[in-house]
Amino acid sequence: MKTTFITCLAAMALTATSAKAGDLTKRVNPLLGTATLWEKSDLHYDRHRKARTWGAEVFPGTSLPFAMVQASPITMFRSGSGYQYEDTTICGFGHTNKGHWNLLHVPLMPFSGTRVNPDDYASPFSHSRETAQPGYYQVWLERYAINAELTSTLRCALHRYTFDKGSGRKLIADLTRSNNRVADWSIQREGRRAFSGSQNGEGKIYFWAESSADITSIENIQGNHHTVSLVSFADDSDGSRVELRIGFSFVSVEGARRNLESEVGKDGSFDKVRAAADATWEQALSAIRVDGGTERQKGLFYSCLYRSMLWPSLRSDVNGDYTDVQGKVCNGGFNYYTNPSFWDDYRNKLPLVETLRPDVATDIIKSIIDKGEKQGGYMPTFFHGDHASTFIAGSWNRGLRDFDLNRAYRLLLKNATVPGRGGRPYLDEYLKQGWVAEKDTDNVPYYDEYKAAVTKTLEYTYDDYATALVARAVGDKKSYAMLMKRTKNYRHVFDPSTGFFRGRVNGGAFVRQFDPYYPYFAYQFREANAWQSLFFAPHDPQGIVALYPSKKAVEQKLDSLFSEPWRGYEVENLTGFIGNYCHGNQPGHSQPYMYYFVGRQDKAQCVLDSIMNHYYDMGADHLALAGMDDAGEMSSWFVYNAIGLYTFSPADAEYIVSVPLFRRVDLSLPDGHKLTIRHEGDGRTIKSITCGTKRVKGWFVKDAELKRAKELIVKTVE
């Protein structure tokens, strides 16, 4: 990563206008997480498939925290974020991005020449002439000798293209494509120097664009396989440069125009907006300042902190208007956001948002309440389980109060108790018997779809716990008691004869064929094997320990988890192995901490340190993460562990304490409270934990205690 970052800084000096980055933003490398893992030494298996192994699948372009707009290069459609570091051509710049095989609204590409081929217009590029910083992206398009620069506000993107003089200045709008199926699109001139339009693909987005140059024509050009729109600009006194200022809206063209006027205005130059974007990121990153550690560790930390604050994405206009799930334009007096990636980021990312940006977390909650009440009365879900319950419970318990908890609870309780479309899949089975049944079948290929019944059972159990916490907060004692009884349901899918969770069929028998090493996409386990699904009951780790004959047996099981080698299965979304532990996918991310509950914090820290040291700048270019970042979950895991805290049970407002990566960490919370975390000692085995003036008993420190204390001191020994 260090070499690439230096190259990027050199390219910036050569190709971009002067703009001094802040002390913290200059540590961020948005290219971290864009590369793919190729080598067996990283993968732990031989590659035979044509499909690329997953990297973090992040985008390197410009955005602000939790913004509507993410303006970023596209090297390939339908490929994660649309950008892969090893690709060699760019076919445009999209304006929405999650890193999840969707979005990439309104791809635009500058073009010079007389004729465009709609089927072939991508340009080669080189990383030596590419710059990626928070709030700014630049690349040299070799085919057209165009320097392209991007910056952004919350709802707007600014493009600056520098052409060779006399080359003909044009813009390709590829509105028939995105990472989703495009249902309809439009583009039209709006006077001498403006154009507008829309694109409908995972949400209909509208745009209003203003140009620094006169527009001579807009025409649609049909190729053999593809249609693009070509915007032509006149040659004028501005010479070779064209600047575009583009407002976006998910409500209307007028909303897009209003957003542009409000956030950029008539005198909002590219350089001013770029400087403002850098200042915004500098302020956001300064919420956590670290001292000590290596330059590499600081670069990884701030790159991960940056990546933790990009999703969910804003969907309302500056005046508060948004298009709801029923297609109606509404205004609820709050910022309306996309759904969180609940299965991925409930573990750590959302608690980090609750702490660093409680205003955003609160508006996300208001948004999902709005969606739930308008689509069947169920709280929105994602993939597995019902992890909005964890988000709601964790937010309330961390002190967020500016939302209607009773409205949220009604939706969560329906999710937990009423089977139906929009709620928990197979809830009827879960309510009847306490677990979801799996089909009894043999030789299941990895990618076959089944119920992922074990994973669902484990996660529903934890969701019951989180919903119970909300029931207690609103005073529903009857439902609280009912839900708490269900929080032991994880035991129904534990097989004591193997020491693993295991699928059960209708009637109660365990599935016949069971290999704890074999990974499944959705048979018994979701994107995991039995090893990677061990110990999942964040609300009841002592109960997990009690499933085994002794604490020593649990310790030995953990030792085996981290030492039994991966059996060479080639699965592109499972990477980053320590034994059979897989850091490249979320299901096992709390497993290292189980060592705490058998008296071996030292072993847990050994694993945590190994993960932070080896799995966040992998590959030949040191730009790959182990697996998908998943909307900031992987990055947030690093942030928390680097400062010595982790949300072991994210519904609870407490953190398990580990040894910080840095000697000193200074947190500045939104309410003005300041907390310093200090690591005293030279070892990685914890001797004592002190929060404020009180010695902490055990390993957990409560959120409220941290918000009252001035210091958290972690003392260690060799």
Side-chain angles (χ1 to χ4, degrees):
M1 182 186 75
K2 290 180 287 187
T3 301
T4 306
F5 193 41
I6 291 169
T7 301
C8 289
L9 289 176
M12 178 183 71
L14 291 172
T15 61
T17 59
S18 61
K20 184 180 180 180
D23 290 338
L24 301 182
T25 58
K26 69 183 179 183
R27 293 192 180 278
V28 176
N29 184 2
L31 289 166
L32 182 65
T34 62
T36 300
L37 293 173
W38 299 98
E39 301 300 324
K40 185 177 181 179
S41 58
D42 290 321
L43 296 173
H44 296 261
Y45 53 76
D46 292 310
R47 293 188 72 257
H48 301 287
R49 298 175 185 270
K50 291 183 179 180
R52 286 192 262 209
T53 304
W54 292 7
E57 308 300 329
V58 302
F59 65 90
T62 171
S63 184
L64 294 188
F66 310 106
M68 179 184 293
V69 168
Q70 300 84 35
S72 189
I74 302 169
T75 61
M76 179 186 295
F77 287 99
R78 306 296 175 93
S79 176
S81 71
Y83 179 98
Q84 300 283 348
Y85 188 78
E86 64 271 15
D87 289 348
T88 58
T89 61
I90 287 174
C91 58
F93 303 99
H95 294 88
T96 59
N97 211 305
K98 182 185 178 185
H100 239 273
W101 286 274
N102 56 351
L103 302 177
L104 301 188
H105 284 101
V106 191
L108 301 177
M109 179 72 168
F111 170 81
S112 63
T114 56
R115 299 184 62 181
V116 61
N117 181 352
D119 302 316
D120 176 19
Y121 61 82
S123 171
F125 76 106
S126 168
H127 295 302
S128 66
R129 303 190 74 177
E130 179 186 37
T131 307
Q133 299 172 333
Y136 176 75
Y137 177 83
Q138 169 276 328
V139 68
W140 176 258
L141 300 174
E142 297 174 4
R143 182 173 181 177
Y144 307 115
I146 297 172
N147 190 54
E149 299 172 89
L150 309 174
T151 190
S152 59
T153 68
L154 284 174
R155 302 171 179 86
C156 306
L158 278 73
H159 294 229
R160 181 161 65 187
Y161 309 134
T162 304
F163 298 80
D164 273 355
K165 290 185 178 180
S167 62
R169 305 181 299 176
K170 296 178 173 63
L171 179 73
I172 297 170
D174 194 351
L175 299 177
T176 65
R177 285 200 288 184
S178 74
N179 261 5
N180 299 92
R181 187 184 68 85
V182 176
D184 58 72
W185 58 276
S186 67
I187 185 170
Q188 52 274 326
R189 288 181 66 176
E190 298 282 0
R192 187 165 64 97
R193 290 192 170 187
F195 61 93
S196 68
S198 65
Q199 186 188 47
N200 189 358
E202 189 162 313
K204 188 169 187 177
I205 194 170
Y206 301 86
F207 59 90
W208 176 276
E210 296 178 354
S211 167
S212 63
D214 287 353
I215 298 170
T216 59
S217 66
I218 299 179
E219 55 184 323
N220 296 329
I221 301 176
Q222 175 70 53
N224 293 327
H225 307 287
H226 198 55
T227 299
V228 299
S229 301
L230 187 66
V231 181
S232 297
F233 302 104
D235 291 324
D236 57 24
S237 58
D238 289 340
S240 61
R241 180 171 288 177
V242 172
E243 294 190 10
L244 290 177
R245 307 173 342 149
I246 314 169
F248 293 91
S249 167
F250 283 86
V251 176
S252 65
V253 168
E254 181 55 37
R257 183 175 184 175
R258 186 187 303 116
N259 291 341
L260 182 63
E261 291 175 350
S262 175
E263 294 185 356
V264 179
K266 295 298 181 183
D267 59 349
S269 69
F270 185 97
D271 290 326
K272 285 183 179 179
V273 171
R274 178 186 173 185
D278 186 81
T280 297
W281 276 114
E282 185 72 16
Q283 181 180 15
L285 296 170
S286 67
I288 307 178
R289 290 187 176 272
V290 298
D291 186 32
T294 65
E295 290 301 303
R296 170 178 173 266
Q297 289 169 335
K298 291 175 182 176
L300 291 176
F301 178 80
Y302 283 108
S303 295
C304 286
L305 182 58
Y306 156 79
R307 193 63 64 182
S308 300
M309 292 190 281
L310 288 168
W311 191 268
S313 182
L314 186 65
R315 285 295 181 265
S316 53
D317 290 346
V318 291
N319 66 351
D321 285 356
Y322 63 91
T323 301
D324 70 6
V325 291
Q326 297 176 338
K328 299 177 181 178
V329 176
C330 304
N331 193 316
F334 59 89
N335 287 323
Y336 190 73
Y337 286 92
T338 58
N339 288 341
S341 186
F342 281 121
W343 191 62
D344 308 313
D345 59 19
Y346 81 95
R347 296 168 171 84
N348 50 48
K349 156 67 180 290
L350 291 175
L352 189 62
V353 177
E354 293 161 16
T355 300
L356 299 182
R357 290 296 303 270
D359 58 326
V360 172
T362 297
D363 282 345
I364 294 169
I365 292 171
K366 291 178 180 179
S367 300
I368 60 176
I369 291 173
D370 182 86
K371 294 168 189 174
E373 290 178 340
K374 293 175 179 178
Q375 53 185 14
Y378 291 102
M379 185 64 82
T381 61
F382 179 83
F383 236 39
H384 282 276
D386 179 21
H387 301 312
S389 58
T390 306
F391 179 35
I392 300 295
S395 295
W396 188 263
N397 290 333
R398 288 180 179 84
L400 277 65
R401 293 291 184 268
D402 188 22
F403 66 92
D404 192 327
L405 185 64
N406 284 287
R407 287 174 62 194
Y409 175 61
R410 284 192 291 270
L411 299 172
L412 294 174
L413 187 62
K414 185 172 181 179
N415 281 31
T417 59
V418 181
R421 186 175 182 181
R424 299 183 187 179
Y426 311 111
L427 179 62
D428 53 345
E429 295 180 22
Y430 180 78
L431 294 177
K432 181 180 179 181
Q433 58 200 18
W435 43 274
V436 178
E438 191 61 272
K439 183 179 179 181
D440 201 3
T441 188
D442 297 335
N443 302 319
V444 176
Y446 173 75
Y447 276 111
D448 277 15
E449 283 279 2
Y450 287 85
K451 292 181 180 179
V454 173
T455 300
K456 282 187 171 66
T457 300
L458 298 177
E459 294 186 349
Y460 290 175
T461 300
Y462 186 61
D463 295 332
D464 288 340
Y465 172 75
T467 305
L469 297 184
V470 182
R472 184 176 63 186
V474 301
D476 185 353
K477 296 180 180 179
K478 182 179 179 180
S479 294
Y480 172 76
M482 175 269 295
L483 290 163
M484 286 301 292
K485 287 181 181 179
R486 287 160 46 173
T487 62
K488 300 292 186 180
N489 281 345
Y490 65 87
R491 296 183 297 186
H492 292 309
V493 289
F494 183 75
D495 176 12
S497 70
T498 63
F500 291 96
F501 293 121
R502 182 175 179 179
R504 297 179 68 177
V505 301
N506 286 319
F510 288 109
V511 298
R512 294 187 308 272
Q513 190 180 75
F514 182 72
D515 178 357
Y517 296 91
Y518 189 84
Y520 297 102
F521 186 71
Y523 183 65
Q524 300 182 78
F525 313 104
R526 170 59 80 172
E527 299 181 35
N529 64 15
W531 281 107
Q532 293 145 16
S533 304
L534 276 170
F535 311 124
F536 186 84
H539 59 295
D540 191 19
Q542 291 82 6
I544 289 288
V545 172
L547 294 174
Y548 294 84
S550 64
K551 287 186 176 181
K552 188 64 177 179
V554 175
E555 181 183 350
Q556 290 171 346
K557 197 77 170 181
L558 282 162
D559 290 346
S560 296
L561 166 66
F562 294 109
S563 62
E564 281 288 319
W566 182 249
R567 295 301 197 259
Y569 297 111
E570 182 182 2
V571 181
E572 54 261 24
N573 64 332
L574 298 181
T575 55
F577 297 102
I578 302 177
N580 262 262
Y581 170 81
C582 178
H583 196 65
N585 214 348
Q586 285 75 21
H589 276 185
S590 63
Q591 287 178 321
Y593 311 99
M594 282 302 298
Y595 274 121
Y596 278 72
F597 305 103
V598 296
R600 295 306 305 266
Q601 174 273 327
D602 57 323
K603 285 189 175 183
Q605 194 63 53
C606 180
V607 174
L608 298 176
D609 288 343
S610 180
I611 294 169
M612 286 188 283
N613 190 45
H614 295 292
Y615 294 96
Y616 280 84
D617 56 354
M618 301 176 72
D621 296 295
H622 301 288
L623 290 174
L625 272 62
M628 282 188 67
D629 190 51
D630 277 315
E633 191 275 347
M634 195 79 69
S635 293
S636 298
W637 189 98
F638 187 97
V639 169
Y640 269 124
N641 284 281
I643 67 174
L645 303 171
Y646 192 69
T647 51
F648 184 80
S649 174
D652 292 297
E654 62 181 14
Y655 310 88
I656 195 167
V657 178
S658 59
V659 183
L661 199 60
F662 305 99
R663 282 290 173 185
R664 173 173 174 152
V665 178
D666 291 307
L667 287 84
S668 300
L669 302 180
D671 64 359
H673 180 70
K674 296 184 183 299
L675 172 71
T676 296
I677 301 173
R678 296 184 187 273
H679 171 208
E680 296 182 357
D682 296 323
R684 306 299 285 174
T685 299
I686 296 177
K687 178 182 179 182
S688 67
I689 304 167
T690 304
C691 185
T693 59
K694 294 182 179 180
R695 179 84 171 257
V696 175
K697 295 181 180 180
W699 304 109
F700 287 89
V701 60
K702 295 187 180 299
D703 181 80
E705 293 171 350
L706 288 174
K707 289 175 178 175
R708 288 194 298 266
K710 292 183 178 180
E711 282 192 330
L712 178 72
I713 300 175
V714 182
K715 291 186 178 181
T716 63
V717 295
E718 292 284 355

